[in-house]
């Protein structure tokens, strides 16, 4: 990628952030619309889970493929294709006549979405080559998540209240079109010097693992253990096959050598834990505010502001901290705040008092605001720039897998505990879910402490050196004519 002026780099960052905005805004706004969709489409809790998880599941399954493909054929080209497919999928979702087709069209959306975030992060990584400038850019990137969390519930609630839940998908049309045209004009094309070859077997194993695991978790409360056991077996078999097959390929879909780096491995598990907590938090909060407290979508969105505003404010602060002091402080603050929020709901039933509800939401918002920048920075900073797309895709996959598992597990726990009276049984039924979210916060805290010290940095340096050595392979000598 050619060296760009400061103004041009800022414009590229803004365009990449637009893609993150439509993906994040779509998710946060849709959560507020879940009760309205449940009434309109006459679906169950598991049906609501699938409207969220069908998207995140496909996204998680294809992100690594999208990252490696972008490194190979061109990041700008894949990014523009993603914008086009995501926008078209949004149109289809707005026209879906029933739950089944909505789930299918959400999967179409996800195919496009898989080409956006990891590829955009790869573009940012290759545009901002100075580590401090890159950390600040990633902080801005994280702030966009905060903007979507602040604006999503409000905009979604307003649209649901005034027009209907289908209008949420209309939001993506003008932003997607503008981002497409700006990318065409201003984003330079870039590729990895030596990108990886396709790995169709690895891709199929990833799809089998994520799909079977998610299906088993979501359907277990309604179908029972018997029907979902085969899917659990498929998930385990796919995982074992991945661990056996991928190290034997010269250019695997998932380069397991990345995980020799303690910061990278820690960032992966932290991403899963943090986004599982986010997915479960939004799912429980939306259903509680509207189905238990009886608030309309707009007022439920307003109640989410104490979570969204701290996320928006803390994300750029976290980016600056990561750039100047490293990831440890941000991760410790994030883990402590998210753990405290989960314990407040699980042990003290924070939902039952306005003051504790606001405090629990604010603590979670602070924690989530601090966690995103260190995840992204740690995932890509220690890896060779030539494989930035793959490294960023692993981090993005971890996020989406976390969101998928969070909604699946928390929804399953809630469905198993709900009795005949929804309003009376919701709080006790949700308590195990809140303990799970507290455990996710504790995982962020502990792993943030363990994977951000000197020993961890040494493992990252050794991993980067071994990867760079592997990238430099001598070309084969031509055969002599007399041979």
């Amino acid at each position: 990628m050619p060296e760009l002026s400061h103004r041009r780099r800022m414009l590229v960052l803004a365009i990449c952030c637009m893609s993150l905005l439509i993906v994040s805004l779509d998710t946060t706004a849709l959560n507020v619309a879940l009760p309205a969709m449940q009434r309109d489409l006459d679906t169950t809790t598991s049906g609501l889970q699938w409207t969220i998880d069908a998207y995140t599941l496909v996204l998680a399954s294809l992100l690594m493929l999208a990252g490696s493909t972008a490194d190979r054929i061109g990041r700008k080209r894949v990014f523009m294709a993603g914008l086009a497919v995501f926008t078209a999928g949004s149109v289809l979702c707005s026209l879906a006549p029933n739950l089944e087709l909505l789930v299918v069209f959400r999967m179409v959306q996800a195919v496009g979405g898989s080409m956006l975030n990891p590829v955009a992060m790869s573009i940012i990584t290759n545009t901002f080559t100075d580590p401090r400038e890159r950390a600040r850019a990633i902080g801005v990137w994280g702030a966009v998540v905060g903007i979507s969390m602040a604006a999503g519930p409000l905009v979604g609630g307003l649209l649901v209240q005034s027009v209907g839940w289908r209008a949420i998908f209309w939001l993506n049309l003008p932003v997607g079109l503008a981002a497409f045209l700006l990318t065409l004009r201003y984003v330079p094309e870039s590729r990895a010097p030596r990108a990886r070859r396709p790995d169709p077997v690895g891709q199929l194993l990833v799809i089998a693992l994520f799909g079977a695991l998610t299906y088993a978790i979501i359907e277990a409360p309604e179908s029972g253990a018997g029907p979902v056991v085969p899917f659990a077996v498929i998930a385990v078999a796919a995982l074992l096959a991945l661990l056996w097959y991928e190290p034997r390929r010269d250019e695997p879909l998932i380069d397991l050598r990345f995980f020799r780096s303690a910061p990278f491995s820690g960032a992966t598990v932290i991403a899963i834990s943090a986004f599982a907590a986010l997915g479960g938090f939004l799912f429980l909060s939306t259903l509680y505010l509207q189905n238990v407290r009886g608030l309309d979508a707009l007022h439920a969105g307003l109640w989410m502001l104490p979570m969204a505003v701290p996320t928006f404010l803390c994300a750029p602060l976290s980016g600056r901290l990561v750039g100047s002091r490293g990831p440890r402080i941000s991760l410790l603050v994030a883990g402590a705040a998210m753990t405290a929020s989960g314990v407040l709901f699980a042990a003290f039933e924070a939902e039952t008092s306005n003051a504790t509800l606001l405090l629990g939401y604010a603590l979670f918002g602070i924690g989530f605001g601090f966690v995103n920048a260190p995840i992204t920075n740690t995932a890509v900073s220690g890896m060779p720039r030539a494989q930035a797309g793959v490294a960023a895709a692993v981090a993005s996959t971890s996020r989406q897998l976390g969101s998928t598992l969070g909604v699946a597990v928390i929804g399953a726990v809630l469905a198993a505990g709900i009795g005949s009276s929804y309003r009376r049984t919701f709080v006790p039924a949700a308590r195990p879910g809140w303990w799970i979210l507290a455990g996710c916060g504790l995982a962020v805290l502990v792993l943030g402490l363990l994977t951000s010290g000197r020993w961890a940095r040494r493992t990252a340096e050794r991993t980067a050196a071994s990867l760079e050595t592997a990238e430099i392979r001598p070309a084969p000598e031509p055969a002599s004519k007399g041979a």
Side-chain angles (χ1 to χ4, degrees):
M1 179 181 286
E3 186 67 28
L4 304 178
S5 66
H6 176 75
R7 183 177 179 181
R8 182 77 173 270
R9 291 199 300 273
M10 291 299 105
L11 183 57
V12 171
L13 175 62
I15 294 168
C16 290
C17 286
M18 289 173 71
S19 73
L20 176 64
L21 181 64
I22 58 175
V23 172
S24 301
L25 195 65
D26 183 83
T27 301
T28 53
L30 193 63
N31 267 278
V32 178
L34 289 178
M37 294 168 61
Q38 187 175 29
R39 292 189 297 270
D40 190 28
L41 300 176
D42 190 26
T43 185
T44 61
T45 299
S46 66
L48 293 180
Q49 289 172 270
W50 279 117
T51 62
I52 302 295
D53 274 357
Y55 177 84
T56 55
L57 177 62
V58 173
L59 203 62
S61 299
L62 298 181
L63 281 170
M64 285 177 287
L65 174 64
S68 59
T69 301
D71 282 343
R72 183 170 57 255
I73 70 172
R75 297 174 181 120
K76 176 179 178 178
R77 181 180 301 178
V78 172
F79 187 67
M80 291 178 64
L83 287 168
V85 174
F86 185 87
T87 305
S90 299
V91 174
L92 293 173
C93 288
S94 70
L95 302 174
N98 52 50
L99 176 69
E100 291 76 16
L101 283 177
L102 176 62
V103 169
V104 171
F105 296 151
R106 287 281 287 164
M107 295 170 75
V108 173
Q109 255 193 320
V111 172
S114 69
M115 305 180 207
L116 297 181
N117 288 2
V119 180
M121 180 51 60
S122 182
I123 292 172
I124 291 172
T125 303
N126 283 270
T127 300
F128 295 88
T129 55
D130 178 73
R132 289 180 180 270
E133 191 177 34
R134 181 192 298 150
R136 287 193 291 270
I138 291 172
V140 174
W141 173 269
V144 173
V145 177
I147 293 172
S148 72
M149 291 184 67
L154 279 177
V155 174
L158 182 62
L159 288 174
V160 171
Q161 204 68 17
S162 58
V163 183
W165 61 266
R166 298 176 188 276
I168 289 174
F169 296 104
W170 302 344
L171 289 174
N172 301 328
L173 305 186
V175 180
L177 181 60
F180 183 91
L181 295 175
L182 289 170
T183 302
L184 181 65
R185 174 67 179 84
Y186 293 107
V187 176
E189 184 61 279
S190 64
R191 297 176 178 84
R194 195 184 67 81
R196 298 170 184 272
R197 291 184 303 227
D199 180 9
V201 174
Q203 183 62 59
L204 289 174
L205 289 173
V206 167
I207 293 173
L209 170 60
F210 292 171
L213 179 62
T214 304
Y215 183 90
I217 294 172
I218 290 179
E219 296 300 327
E222 292 187 5
S223 304
V228 301
V229 165
F231 292 92
V233 172
I234 291 173
V236 173
L239 175 61
L240 295 175
L242 271 172
L243 295 176
W244 176 84
Y245 176 77
E246 291 296 284
R248 287 164 171 76
R249 277 185 58 87
D250 290 335
E251 296 179 341
L253 177 70
I254 307 172
D255 195 335
L256 299 181
R257 293 175 299 173
F258 284 5
F259 294 95
R260 296 174 186 170
S261 164
F264 184 86
S265 298
T268 301
V269 181
I270 287 169
I272 293 173
S273 301
F275 278 78
L278 176 66
F281 189 97
L282 292 175
F283 192 80
L284 286 177
S285 297
T286 298
L287 294 180
Y288 171 76
L289 291 172
Q290 296 189 54
N291 289 350
V292 178
R293 286 208 170 192
L295 301 178
D296 57 41
L298 178 58
H299 286 88
L302 289 170
W303 266 95
M304 300 293 281
L305 281 178
M307 178 193 69
V309 172
T311 299
F312 171 65
L313 296 176
C314 292
L317 174 60
S318 177
R320 287 194 292 272
L321 273 174
V322 171
S324 61
R325 303 288 296 276
R328 172 170 283 193
I329 296 175
S330 290
L331 290 174
L332 295 183
V333 171
M338 294 171 73
T339 302
S341 174
V343 170
L344 193 62
F345 283 97
F348 301 101
E349 295 185 350
E351 306 102 315
T352 57
S353 163
N354 287 344
T356 52
L357 182 65
L358 290 173
L359 178 60
Y361 281 6
L363 284 171
F364 190 89
I366 292 169
F368 192 76
F370 271 93
V371 82
N372 211 29
I375 289 172
T376 305
N377 189 73
T378 303
V380 301
S381 61
M383 298 299 157
R385 286 177 58 196
Q387 301 302 335
V390 178
V394 173
S396 295
T397 298
S398 302
R399 290 183 175 90
Q400 298 305 325
L401 178 60
S403 295
T404 302
L405 293 177
V407 174
V409 172
I410 300 303
V413 169
L414 180 67
I418 286 289
S420 56
S421 175
Y422 192 95
R423 293 193 175 190
R424 232 183 9 253
T425 60
F426 184 93
V427 172
R431 188 175 297 118
W434 289 114
W435 280 119
I436 293 171
L437 300 189
C440 291
L442 185 61
V444 173
L445 178 65
V446 173
L447 288 171
L449 182 64
L450 294 177
T451 63
S452 58
R454 292 181 180 177
W455 164 80
R457 286 194 294 272
R458 286 197 296 269
T459 68
E461 291 166 1
R462 288 196 299 268
T463 301
S466 67
L467 289 170
E468 287 172 351
T469 300
E471 290 296 328
I472 305 172
R473 296 179 179 175
E477 296 183 3
S480 61
K481 291 182 180 180

